[in-house]
Amino acid sequence: MRTRTTLTAAFALLLAALTACAGTEAEADPQACKKAVYEQYRDTVAAGDDTPRTQKPSECAGIDDRTLKRLAGEAIKEYLASEDAEKALDDAMRDAIDDAPFEEVLPTPGPSS
């Protein structure tokens, strides 16, 4: 559950930061922007609860909001289908298991009397 919340929050922060400034698409390379968004989202997810406020990648300068939203959606869709996302999910599951209060929920049995 924490992972899904983190992914959603990361997406919302990223999209808000990306659309804060816009220009014309002719000034930027859409594929370079998409790659930068992918990398930024990957790093944001990896940061988890310590996610800093993200800034629009410089590669996206000059891309209009509509195009930027489309590129961000494509980049995030590709991320979620990638090995990067699979590793992030595995790491999050491992962390959740390590942090789980098993002793409170399942007390260790004492010696039989």
Side-chain angles (χ1 to χ4, degrees):
M1 185 62 132
R2 187 179 104 189
T3 301
R4 187 175 358 185
T5 302
T6 300
L7 291 174
T8 302
F11 175 69
L13 286 171
L14 179 64
L15 194 56
L18 289 175
T19 58
C21 302
T24 62
E25 187 172 348
E27 299 171 18
D29 176 11
Q31 291 309 310
C33 173
K34 183 175 167 180
K35 181 180 179 196
V37 170
Y38 177 99
E39 292 170 354
Q40 188 175 53
Y41 189 70
R42 179 196 61 214
D43 296 345
T44 300
V45 169
D49 293 338
D50 299 324
T51 302
R53 178 121 173 110
T54 57
Q55 299 297 318
K56 182 178 182 178
S58 60
E59 294 87 349
C60 299
I63 293 182
D64 65 272
D65 283 352
R66 185 175 183 177
T67 302
L68 189 53
K69 287 178 184 178
R70 178 181 55 79
L71 293 171
E74 290 172 7
I76 291 168
K77 184 177 180 181
E78 288 174 16
Y79 170 80
L80 293 173
S82 73
E83 289 182 17
D84 291 334
E86 188 175 325
K87 181 183 179 319
L89 180 60
D90 289 345
D91 291 346
M93 292 296 291
R94 198 171 302 112
D95 290 346
I97 290 169
D98 291 344
D99 294 343
F102 288 118
E103 290 299 318
E104 294 173 20
V105 178
L106 302 169
T108 305
S112 299
S113 303

